[in-house]
Amino acid sequence: MTYKTKFGFGCMRLPIIDEKNPASINQDLFNEMVDIYMKKGFNYFDTSYAYHNGMSEIAIRKAVVERYPRKSFKICDKMPTWALTSDEDNDKFVNEMLERLGTDYFDVFLIHNINGPWLKNAKNANTFEYIKKMKENGTAHKIGISFHEKSELLKEVLEEYGDILDVVQLELNYLDWEDPSIESHKCYDLCVEHGLDVYVMEPLKGGVIVNPSDEIKNEFKDFNPDKSIASFAIRFCASLEHVKIVLSGMSKMDDLIDNCKTYENFEILTDEEGLFLENMAIKLKENLAVACSECGYCLDACPEMIPIQEYFNLYNTSKNQPESNIYKLYFDKLADEKVPASECTYCGTCLDYCTQQIDIPEELENVCKHFEEGFSPYQSFS
């Protein structure tokens, strides 16, 4: 395997036309991005039943399946584990996904986001046994799980099911590598121990890594003005021996071009660069209010439909870039136009869905305090 083959197109954050509607994928722009990606020799697309409210799979069908020979690309899809209620659901969802994609097999098929509660769903629906049969009958060429939890649960899952799996898709980046709430390093080591391929998601932690304070941006520029912040994060992941795929969610053409440049001229991360990233990780954490990757799973779970990730994004931005218009966005765009953060009822439903193990109700309370205490009625919003 060459490093170039590790570049996967993550289809969770495709370009959209209407920011308020995740299903409004800009198909023309996506088609154009796919053409460039494929022309340069890349061919791996990662999606899920849930991405873009189900439209990600359809967008891939239109951009890839209907426009390129089937053997020229690979597709990874994922079972909606949270929605499993019985054995029959396995067939129901798989058939729907195949229909949306317009194909008769998956190159990789994963049980999505295994955590404590959803592992129970998968066991009750016999989904591990089901995906084993998918591989046996050719519906899936490789099978595995995607995983956002700590190493203790992964160890339990791999001891029980590791012998039938090929792949574990992990959240892995230099910010989470030694983070005790994510344990990327420990999870990676467990996969290696069980002889499983590691596919990487969230190499930029949902954009957190590439949207730091100006001080951190300047440190990257001083260290190497010729490389983007994103390229360092991608190279950290792709340089790991047992990582076979690194997914990049790209909503802009510039993101695609930068990532292509990184892989076409790939350089293994040096020891000096590794030490630099360790230092940057410490500084990033110091400037981060909430370690949210903006995956959006919590919004789907919230009974009050609070746009949790949007509040956390503003909270982080206000810490890194304390400008007055951030408060205007909070009061005029979110708290007024959408459900206020103060509407949280502390029901805790979101906690099972959070891939970052964040105490969401507590952090929403902190968001309210931060913006309300930082706001002056005499403040200008110019």
Side-chain angles (χ1 to χ4, degrees):
M1 170 178 279
T2 66
Y3 288 97
K4 188 173 180 178
T5 62
K6 295 189 178 188
F7 180 19
F9 201 133
C11 299
M12 178 180 176
R13 299 181 176 97
L14 296 176
I16 55 175
I17 297 169
D18 180 359
E19 290 185 6
K20 296 180 181 179
N21 180 12
S24 64
I25 294 170
N26 187 332
Q27 191 68 50
D28 290 340
L29 178 54
F30 181 42
N31 287 5
E32 187 180 350
M33 293 171 75
V34 164
D35 291 342
I36 292 173
Y37 177 78
M38 294 284 285
K39 185 177 180 179
K40 289 180 176 290
F42 309 112
N43 70 350
Y44 186 90
F45 298 88
D46 173 274
T47 188
S48 161
Y49 181 85
Y51 293 169
H52 287 275
N53 294 349
M55 291 301 296
S56 174
E57 293 162 323
I58 294 171
I60 291 174
R61 186 191 75 225
K62 293 177 179 178
V64 185
V65 180
E66 293 177 354
R67 300 169 68 237
Y68 289 91
R70 181 62 182 91
K71 290 187 177 181
S72 69
F73 58 85
K74 296 179 180 178
I75 295 178
C76 171
D77 212 334
K78 309 181 193 75
M79 182 75 81
T81 322
W82 55 89
L84 293 171
T85 59
S86 67
D87 290 37
E88 290 74 23
D89 285 338
N90 294 309
D91 257 342
K92 180 183 75 172
F93 288 123
V94 164
N95 289 335
E96 186 174 357
M97 285 185 271
L98 289 170
E99 183 178 354
R100 286 178 180 177
L101 288 166
T103 186
D104 56 3
Y105 70 92
F106 306 98
D107 296 276
V108 182
F109 192 82
L110 308 177
I111 305 175
H112 201 167
N113 197 5
I114 288 294
N115 57 25
W118 295 353
L119 176 59
K120 293 178 182 176
N121 285 3
K123 285 186 173 183
N124 290 338
N126 293 309
T127 304
F128 285 92
E129 292 76 12
Y130 181 84
I131 64 169
K132 182 184 177 184
K133 290 178 182 176
M134 287 178 68
K135 184 178 178 181
E136 291 170 350
N137 64 31
T139 308
H141 292 175
K142 290 186 178 182
I143 57 173
I145 61 172
S146 68
F147 190 84
H148 289 275
E149 268 278 1
K150 292 186 178 181
S151 60
E152 183 179 359
L153 182 63
L154 182 59
K155 185 174 186 291
E156 175 189 326
V157 173
L158 296 187
E159 285 177 352
E160 187 169 359
Y161 300 108
D163 60 332
I164 69 167
L165 304 179
D166 303 300
V167 174
V168 175
Q169 189 157 296
L170 289 176
E171 174 177 335
L172 195 157
N173 53 67
Y174 69 79
L175 191 59
D176 293 329
W177 186 240
E178 301 294 354
D179 191 310
S181 66
I182 305 294
E183 298 186 337
S184 292
H185 194 168
K186 289 183 179 179
C187 290
Y188 173 83
D189 287 346
L190 278 170
C191 295
V192 174
E193 179 185 328
H194 284 265
L196 300 173
D197 289 344
V198 175
Y199 291 12
V200 171
M201 55 187 163
E202 302 292 0
L204 307 182
K205 200 175 176 70
V208 168
I209 284 174
V210 290
N211 291 294
S213 65
D214 289 340
E215 177 188 351
I216 292 175
K217 288 179 182 177
N218 290 333
E219 290 204 42
F220 272 96
K221 188 177 292 185
D222 291 341
F223 184 77
N224 190 327
D226 298 323
K227 285 185 168 59
S228 68
I229 295 176
S231 72
F232 278 101
I234 288 167
R235 288 171 56 232
F236 173 86
C237 299
S239 294
L240 294 167
E241 179 184 357
H242 296 276
V243 165
K244 305 303 180 185
I245 294 288
V246 180
L247 300 174
S248 292
M250 297 168 286
S251 58
K252 301 190 295 293
M253 184 64 77
D254 287 347
D255 298 337
L256 173 65
I257 299 302
D258 183 54
N259 289 336
C260 288
K261 179 182 176 183
T262 297
Y263 283 98
E264 288 177 316
N265 307 281
F266 194 86
E267 300 173 13
I268 296 174
L269 200 74
T270 66
D271 290 342
E272 181 187 7
E273 290 173 324
L275 290 172
F276 173 72
L277 292 183
E278 283 182 26
N279 186 40
M280 291 301 97
I282 292 170
K283 293 191 175 185
L284 272 166
K285 288 176 183 176
E286 289 174 349
N287 290 311
L288 200 60
V290 187
C292 174
S293 66
E294 300 187 34
C295 65
Y297 295 141
C298 56
L299 174 60
D300 294 333
C302 178
E304 307 302 322
M305 293 300 291
I306 298 170
I308 298 165
Q309 75 273 25
E310 294 183 54
Y311 282 114
F312 289 167
N313 177 280
L314 281 190
Y315 192 17
N316 284 329
T317 303
S318 71
K319 290 284 189 178
N320 287 328
Q321 303 168 22
E323 303 168 357
S324 59
N325 68 331
I326 295 299
Y327 289 88
K328 180 176 177 61
L329 286 171
Y330 174 81
F331 286 104
D332 291 356
K333 294 295 182 184
L334 278 179
D336 185 40
E337 293 183 5
K338 298 188 178 181
V339 182
S342 58
E343 290 295 308
C344 175
T345 63
Y346 290 80
C347 69
T349 305
C350 56
L351 299 178
D352 287 340
Y353 289 77
C354 181
T355 60
Q356 309 301 305
Q357 319 305 313
I358 297 168
D359 187 336
I360 293 173
E362 180 180 339
E363 292 298 347
L364 283 175
E365 184 176 342
N366 291 336
V367 166
C368 294
K369 289 179 181 177
H370 171 77
F371 282 98
E372 288 167 10
E373 290 175 4
F375 171 69
S376 163
Y378 304 104
Q379 186 171 352
S380 170
F381 283 143
S382 58

